[in-house]
Amino acid sequence: MADPVQQPLSLVLQLKSSAASTKPSILSNINAGAPDILHFAWLIALDDKGKLLLSTVYDGDFDLYLDKFIDSSHAAFDAIFPLIQDGPPTPVLQNRQAFHDFVRKNNISPIPGTFFSAYPKLNVEAIRNC
Amino acid sequence: MTNLPLDQIQGFVLRGYSHPRARHFTIHVPAATNGKAFVAAITPLITTATIWSEKPLVCFNVGFTADGLQALGVDVAHANLSTEFVEGAIQRGFKYTGDNYDLGDTGDSAPNHWILDLGSGDVHIILSLYAMNPNARDTATAAVLQMIRDGGVKLLGTHDSDDVLGDSRVHFGYHDGISQPNIAGGTAKTDDQPVVATGEFVLGYPAEANVPRPGPTFDPQNGSYSAFRVLKQDVDGFFAFLAKAASQYELPQEVIQAKFCGRWADGTPLVLSADHPDPGVSLNDFDYSEDFPARKCPIASHIRRSQRRNEDTQQHRILRRAFPYGPPYVPQDGQERGLIGHFICTSLQQQYEFVISQWVNGTTVDATSRDALIGAIDADHPPSFKLYWNDARVKVEGFGRFTTTRGGAYCYLPSIAGLGALGR
């Protein structure tokens, strides 16, 4: 059976201690930049010292869409990344590859064969237009 | 009124010509001295964006592949040229075939089947001439052939294109070319659609969201990139399918044709007149905000998935400078027909490749059905095209691929100053 069109991204982030109270603004910044390819996104606090898990399910080619969002939302990323320990360098427009590398390094892939989708062929837009 | 240096920008970037007879030449440069001689000879002929006081009989424009720039002595790996341009259409066509990034140059569309030597890696220069009539095209051709001989470069092939079906029609029957981006600082007549940042089409100016798009080191401003495409259209197959589907799904053929496109054949947008063509409605003053969820115009339709209007940003617009080749359609006459020309932008990856790989063939508009008119439909990606008609939802299936790639090239379209640099 073909892979689902939806793909997971699970990113572990460590907030700098100075930024521990900014979790809500990070989430709202992420939502603002992701029209119509993001099925789900949520943040989990893994401890009380600012270690977060950002989980998303999305459609499309990851790197191509990341570059699209770097273009459209570079200001928002430049505001967030200084809050993250070992975060990617800013400005992101001049450090694109570092941003891509950061995500690859901090993404935890699911155990192979365990990502389940109840509707493997449906992307966000198709669902919204049903 | 514009501040752009019109005498530096190639004419067909800022506006489409009304010259209906095109001829495209693919040229090989055996040595840099030959290439420079040829470039120096054609540079004075290149049509710029300067407004005409009198329309010329013939316009000329020119593009270079990465191989071509290298042959002219440019160190393409270190000239600030984009990665995808330097890799080129052949390599990218072979490489990008996965479900999440499919350029569609697969099967019969793969680069090893391309014509005009476009699949060989030998194409260095694509010269395009646009003439008012066939005689002017032939006269201009004689001049081009003389310059080719004088420069000692090699002609690989030519391909004509004739915009003579009337009403800007294409072989699938649609009135085409209705919606081109309004370019900030541009000279073409604008409509009510959003203005798109100059830097999306001309290098060296800010693109959308103020993203810098610098040109290459030898031509930092006023050039552009393009995807040159030769696209064969299976016109017999298209109309045969429409007839069969009309019977199978009990829908008028014109309705299926319109739903596949997003416009009736005469150009009427479905969102403005869902039930029938209407010459009284605007051709382009619309978006999809009042057709959500998509009922009048399918989300999978060609125009909705390739230009998203309010449903996405203006980051992925493309200038389409292409028109038909082949004679007016006669069923089963064995003649090849299609579309040929340049798809112009400043980021081949975020514009041309994004539209094709993510929206047309990809999973982020309608993952259940690739674009019916131009999508890479095959056994692994069969269509399941959902449309609504008379309040009923219909799933149209069973059609194959109607558009095949016969050739492609990623081109750099230099500014006039850039051409001067290349010719020295």
Side-chain angles (χ1 to χ4, degrees):
Chain A
M1 177 157 167
D3 287 339
V5 301
Q6 309 97 5
Q7 300 146 82
L9 177 73
S10 308
L11 213 52
V12 176
L13 302 169
Q14 176 67 55
L15 286 181
K16 289 179 180 166
S17 50
S18 52
S21 62
T22 61
K23 290 194 284 288
S25 63
I26 286 178
L27 184 58
S28 65
N29 276 328
I30 286 162
N31 286 344
D36 302 340
I37 61 149
L38 202 57
H39 290 265
F40 304 104
W42 66 102
L43 270 176
I44 293 174
L46 293 174
D47 63 22
D48 60 1
K49 297 191 188 67
K51 191 167 178 184
L52 304 175
L53 174 66
L54 169 63
S55 287
T56 79
V57 181
Y58 68 94
D59 303 318
D61 183 83
F62 177 77
D63 287 299
L64 196 49
Y65 267 91
L66 187 59
D67 276 316
K68 171 191 168 75
F69 296 134
I70 290 172
D71 283 350
S72 65
S73 311
H74 48 92
F77 289 122
D78 288 345
I80 296 169
F81 288 155
L83 307 174
I84 296 172
Q85 198 145 293
D86 302 320
T90 56
V92 294
L93 276 180
Q94 272 83 62
N95 293 282
R96 286 178 185 266
Q97 192 56 48
F99 187 174
H100 286 258
D101 293 342
F102 172 81
V103 176
R104 292 229 176 281
K105 183 174 157 218
N106 292 283
N107 178 34
I108 311 173
S109 295
I111 296 169
T114 65
F115 180 73
F116 169 77
S117 170
Y119 25 86
K121 292 188 183 168
L122 289 180
N123 57 298
V124 170
E125 276 284 63
I127 293 168
R128 292 174 78 231
N129 281 283
C130 270
Chain B
M1 182 65 184
T2 179
N3 292 326
L4 292 176
L6 301 181
D7 60 344
Q8 283 299 313
I9 299 169
Q10 289 203 42
F12 69 167
V13 174
L14 290 192
R15 66 189 185 286
Y17 304 137
S18 56
H19 296 56
R21 306 286 188 170
R23 182 165 286 157
H24 303 280
F25 301 75
T26 54
I27 295 165
H28 178 78
V29 171
T33 46
N34 302 109
K36 286 177 184 298
F38 178 72
V39 170
I42 59 162
T43 296
L45 300 181
I46 298 302
T47 307
T48 71
T50 301
I51 308 292
W52 299 321
S53 45
E54 200 180 299
K55 187 154 78 171
L57 209 48
V58 183
C59 295
F60 289 93
N61 288 109
V62 68
F64 299 78
T65 62
D67 295 322
L69 294 178
Q70 190 74 39
L72 286 165
V74 175
D75 177 10
V76 296
H78 300 103
N80 200 38
L81 291 156
S82 73
T83 303
E84 64 274 15
F85 167 75
V86 173
E87 286 180 358
I90 300 168
Q91 200 185 133
R92 305 276 296 185
F94 279 129
K95 181 164 140 191
Y96 288 100
T97 60
D99 283 347
N100 284 325
Y101 204 138
D102 190 347
L103 294 177
D105 291 336
T106 53
D108 289 341
S109 294
N112 48 300
H113 299 301
W114 288 355
I115 61 172
L116 303 178
D117 263 296
L118 287 163
S120 68
D122 289 341
V123 173
H124 291 158
I125 302 174
I126 297 179
L127 180 68
S128 301
L129 78 83
Y130 302 89
M132 290 305 294
N133 59 62
N135 280 343
R137 177 164 60 188
D138 288 341
T139 304
T141 296
V144 169
L145 295 177
Q146 187 61 51
M147 283 186 280
I148 287 173
R149 281 190 291 272
D150 291 346
V153 295
K154 185 177 168 197
L155 178 68
L156 297 173
T158 68
H159 204 306
D160 283 0
S161 174
D162 297 88
D163 190 9
V164 293
L165 301 184
D167 207 23
S168 298
R169 297 268 176 160
V170 291
H171 291 295
F172 287 155
Y174 305 102
H175 177 171
D176 192 27
I178 292 169
S179 171
Q180 299 282 8
N182 295 323
I183 306 173
T187 53
K189 189 156 168 263
T190 55
D191 58 17
D192 293 325
Q193 290 301 304
V195 175
V196 185
T198 311
E200 295 289 322
F201 307 105
V202 186
L203 289 160
Y205 299 89
E208 289 288 302
N210 242 348
V211 171
R213 287 255 169 96
T217 49
F218 64 90
D219 192 22
Q221 198 174 47
N222 301 313
S224 306
Y225 290 108
S226 79
F228 177 74
R229 303 285 287 169
V230 184
L231 300 170
K232 181 173 113 168
Q233 293 170 319
D234 180 6
V235 193
D236 282 335
F238 180 70
F239 286 111
F241 178 77
L242 288 184
K244 175 178 145 215
S247 166
Q248 180 180 348
Y249 298 101
E250 292 173 355
L251 291 171
Q253 192 165 313
E254 297 71 33
V255 169
I256 304 173
Q257 186 185 29
K259 294 290 185 180
F260 276 2
C261 176
R263 297 179 182 272
W264 297 96
D266 73 342
T268 305
L270 283 174
V271 293
L272 294 184
S273 182
D275 299 329
H276 53 80
D278 183 352
V281 303
S282 167
L283 285 176
N284 204 36
D285 186 12
F286 67 93
D287 66 25
Y288 300 109
S289 51
E290 309 214 342
D291 185 36
F292 174 76
R295 293 292 178 267
K296 297 179 183 177
C297 181
I299 191 68
S301 74
H302 173 67
I303 68 164
R304 191 164 186 164
R305 73 195 300 159
S306 59
Q307 189 212 325
R308 312 281 331 274
R309 296 183 183 246
N310 62 296
E311 297 182 317
D312 207 287
T313 63
Q314 299 299 321
Q315 291 169 272
H316 312 291
R317 304 294 304 277
I318 306 172
L319 281 167
R320 296 164 301 121
R321 304 291 187 221
F323 46 81
Y325 71 87
Y329 178 54
V330 171
Q332 274 104 49
D333 68 354
Q335 296 290 319
E336 184 169 317
R337 291 176 174 84
L339 207 70
I340 179 170
H342 287 271
F343 295 84
I344 299 174
C345 56
T346 56
S347 172
L348 287 162
Q349 186 168 63
Q350 278 297 317
Q351 291 164 279
Y352 173 73
E353 288 195 356
F354 191 101
V355 170
I356 298 296
S357 72
Q358 302 305 295
W359 291 347
V360 166
N361 291 328
T363 61
T364 59
V365 178
D366 188 340
T368 61
S369 205
R370 293 182 166 190
D371 188 304
L373 303 183
I374 68 168
I377 294 166
D378 57 26
D380 292 329
H381 307 92
S384 179
F385 187 97
K386 283 178 286 298
L387 61 91
Y388 288 81
W389 181 249
N390 288 340
D391 296 324
R393 192 173 96 149
V394 181
K395 212 191 299 186
V396 176
E397 296 175 315
F399 53 94
R401 183 168 184 166
F402 293 126
T403 300
T404 304
T405 315
R406 297 289 279 133
Y410 286 165
C411 297
Y412 180 67
L413 311 174
S415 71
I416 302 307
L419 283 170
L422 289 172
R424 281 196 287 276

